[in-house]
Amino acid sequence: MTTSQLPHGGEHFDVVIAGGGPVGLLLAAELRLHGVPVLVLEQGRPGDGEPRTLALHARTLETLDRRGLLADFVRAQESLPGLADHRRALDDGAARGHFAGLYRLGRHTGPRTEQPHGIALPHHVLRELLARRAGELGAVVRYGHEVTGLAQDEHGVTVHVRTPDGETTVRGGFLVGCDGGRSAVRKGAGIDFPGTGPSLVCRMGRGAIEVHGGGELPAGWRRTDSGWFMRMPDGRIAVSEWGVPEDLEGPATADELAGAIERVTGQRITLTDVDFVTRFTDSARQASRYRAGRVLLAGDAAHIHYPAGGQGANLGLQDAVNLGWKLAAECRGGAPAGLLDSYGAERHPVAARVLENTRAQVALMRPGPQVDALRALFLELMAMDEVNQYLSDIIHATGIRYEPAPGSHPLAGSFARDLPLTTASGPTRLAELLRRGRPLLVVFDGPGSEGSDAPAAAAGWADRVGIVRAAAEDPYAAALLVRPDGYLAWASDGPVDPGAVRAALTAWCGAEGGGAERTGTEAEEARAV
C-alpha cells in the first residue's frame, strides 16, 4: 500500500474535491495555480471507468490554449490512429459536428473561432493528462477514497471518507462535488436535482459484429423505424431505443446489447470480443443551486443530460475553469463580495441551455414520419449560414456571453479572442499571457491610450493581476481586463480613465493591496508577465 492510500484523519486542506475525473482534476490544477492547498478524493483506481471517448469542442480547446495545454491534447489524439484519422477528415472539410445526428454544422460558414475543429480523446487519456497537470502543480490526489458524507459549519466542511483501510475524515475550507450524476456531495448538502425522467435507453459497448447472411453495418449514424444505431471512430457501438424497461439497475450485458442491435437494425448478428457494455438514458436534471454554504458542485454533479453533440465533458471542464479562480480568491482572502456566487449565476444558465438543446435533439431523433418531415426541414434551415452558425455556437459553446453589469462596455462578458501582441518582452499572444491563471490588464498602444497612466493606476493589484502595455495590429478596444477563464470583465474604447481601471479591478479582483500574502518567489512571478 502506498502512502497516498493511507487514512489521514485530522488533515485540513483549503479545498477538498470529491471526484477525480476530468472536471475534478482540472479544478484542482486551477486552484494550484494560485497556491491553494487542495485534496482530490477519487473512489476508483487510476485507469478505472468505461472506455468512453470524449469530444472536446472549440471553447474548451481555446481555454486549454490559455493554460498552455492544447498542444499536449492534440499530440495525444495524433498518437491514436483512429481518432487522428477522424481529425484529418475534419481538416479536409467535413462537418464540425451534428445536431440530432444531422452532420451539417460548420459546412456553410467560415469558422468564427480560433479552433475550427474539435478533438476526441479516450476518457482515460483525458484523465491522465489532467492528473499529470494537477500533480505537477502540487495537488494531492488519493484513489480508492470515496466521500460518503459531510457536515459543514461556518468555518469549513468535515468530509467523511471510506478508504481501503476503513473510515476517516478530512477537513476542508470548502468541498466541491465533482462526483457525478449520483453525487454524494449534492445529496449531503441537501441540494435538489429537478428535471425530466427518461424516455429512451441507449446501450453502448465495443465489440466485433458479424452480420448473418453477409450484410454490413457501416460506421456512422443510422436512424431506423425502431431507433438509432451508431458505430463510432473509436470502435464503440451505441443503440438507442425509445421506451424504458422497468429494470435499469442491473449490469448491462453483451446479450442485451446484441438484442438491441438486432431490434433497431433488423439484422441478425453475432457480437463477439466485447470489452465493455453500459447503458444510459436521456434523463435531464440540473441542481437547483450550485452552492450551499461551503459546498459547491461542478460537472455531472450539477447537471446531467443525453450526450447529444458531446457537450457534457466540455460543460464540466468549463465549470471548473470558471470556478477555480473565484474559489482561489475566496480561499486566499480579499475576494470582492459576490465573486464566488457569480460562479452559479453564470454557469447555471449555460447548463440549462444545454439541457434544453439536448431535449430538442432527442425529440428530433425520434422515429416516425412526422419527425422525418421535421428533420428534412431542419436540414434546409441548417443550409442557411445564420442558422448553421447559431447551432454551431450552441454545440461548441462559442456563443456564451455572461451577463455584464448594466452600463458595461458591449464586449464585457464575451470571450476575449486571441491577438498577436508585441510587449516590452517581445512578441506574444493574448492567450499566452493568461497561462498563470491570473486576471490580465492589457493597455494597447494607439489612439485613446497615449500617455495613459492606467498601468500605474493598477500597480496596487500587481500581486494578483498581470499588467501589460502592448501593441497590436487590430486591437478591439483601448484597454481590456481579461478574467482568468478568458472572458472579458471590462473594456474601454479610450481615452483610458485610470479611475475606471481602478474601479474595474476593485470589482473583480478585490481592494487595492488586498491580496493574500505571497512568498518572495510568488511575488516576483506576479510582477513578471
Side-chain angles (χ1 to χ4, degrees), residues 98-446:
H98 73 89
F99 192 87
L102 300 171
Y103 276 88
R104 292 294 185 273
L105 296 186
R107 283 186 181 273
H108 301 282
T109 57
R112 205 176 71 184
T113 172
E114 303 159 18
Q115 302 295 327
H117 305 311
I119 66 174
L121 289 173
H123 184 266
H124 75 276
V125 173
L126 182 57
R127 283 180 60 170
E128 288 168 7
L129 289 167
L130 292 173
R132 184 193 311 158
R133 167 76 164 181
E136 289 171 348
L137 291 171
V140 179
V141 183
R142 294 188 183 136
Y143 295 94
H145 285 57
E146 179 184 2
V147 172
T148 59
L150 62 97
Q152 65 169 312
D153 54 51
E154 61 179 319
H155 302 294
V157 187
T158 299
V159 185
H160 297 268
V161 187
R162 181 180 297 121
T163 81
D165 293 323
E167 306 290 330
T168 189
T169 61
V170 66
R171 183 80 171 164
F174 290 89
L175 171 64
V176 184
C178 301
D179 52 341
R182 299 184 179 183
S183 171
V185 172
R186 186 187 65 240
K187 295 171 184 175
I191 298 175
D192 294 334
F193 202 43
T196 52
S199 66
L200 65 81
V201 61
C202 181
R203 298 169 178 91
M204 180 182 292
R206 185 160 48 215
I209 300 176
E210 178 187 352
V211 179
H212 297 190
E216 186 179 2
L217 293 175
W221 289 59
R222 178 180 175 186
R223 180 168 170 266
T224 75
D225 292 339
S226 302
W228 280 87
F229 172 80
M230 291 161 277
R231 294 188 77 168
M232 305 177 206
D234 62 353
R236 287 176 302 155
I237 304 157
V239 190
S240 295
E241 296 179 280
W242 270 259
V244 181
E246 292 183 6
D247 180 20
L248 286 176
E249 296 301 319
T253 67
D255 287 344
E256 180 182 344
L257 176 59
I261 294 172
E262 291 191 342
R263 288 191 299 272
V264 169
T265 66
Q267 302 268 22
R268 290 189 60 234
I269 61 108
T270 298
L271 183 64
T272 58
D273 300 327
V274 177
D275 63 2
F276 83 99
V277 180
T278 188
R279 72 169 83 85
F280 53 86
T281 73
D282 63 328
S283 289
R285 298 186 179 279
Q286 184 176 21
S288 56
R289 50 189 171 140
Y290 283 11
R291 181 184 180 188
R294 290 180 169 269
V295 177
L296 298 109
L297 303 175
D300 288 354
H303 38 70
I304 61 169
H305 55 86
Y306 188 70
Q311 300 170 85
N314 298 271
L315 184 61
L317 292 171
Q318 290 163 41
D319 285 348
V321 177
N322 185 291
L323 174 59
W325 66 281
K326 297 173 181 179
L327 183 53
E330 190 74 20
C331 290
R332 301 196 65 176
L339 181 67
L340 184 55
D341 285 330
S342 74
Y343 162 64
E346 290 181 343
R347 296 303 297 171
H348 196 282
V350 172
R353 290 196 69 195
V354 171
L355 266 64
E356 286 181 355
N357 88 59
T358 54
R359 289 184 181 115
Q361 291 187 73
V362 168
L364 273 170
M365 293 167 67
R366 285 180 172 273
Q370 290 83 8
V371 180
D372 292 345
L374 188 58
R375 290 176 68 82
L377 175 60
F378 246 76
L379 278 173
E380 294 178 17
L381 293 173
M382 291 173 74
M384 302 176 184
D385 287 355
E386 185 175 353
V387 174
N388 198 294
Q389 187 66 64
Y390 178 78
L391 294 175
S392 293
D393 283 343
I394 286 176
I395 297 297
H396 303 134
T398 47
I400 292 173
R401 184 188 181 214
Y402 297 129
E403 188 66 32
S408 296
H409 189 279
L411 290 173
S414 62
F415 196 72
R417 61 180 172 86
D418 196 15
L419 281 174
L421 304 175
T422 301
T423 72
S425 301
T428 186
R429 294 186 296 126
L430 182 67
E432 292 175 350
L433 297 180
L434 288 168
R435 292 194 171 164
R436 288 194 177 95
R438 298 179 298 148
L440 176 69
L441 176 67
V442 183
V443 179
F444 292 101
D445 294 334

Side-chain angles (χ1 to χ4, degrees), residues 441-445 448-449 452-455 467-471 477-480 490 496 501:
L441 176 67
V442 183
V443 179
F444 292 101
D445 294 334
S449 65
S452 170
D453 59 353
I467 303 167
V468 178
R469 182 181 286 278
L480 305 171
W490 170 88
V496 182
V501 171

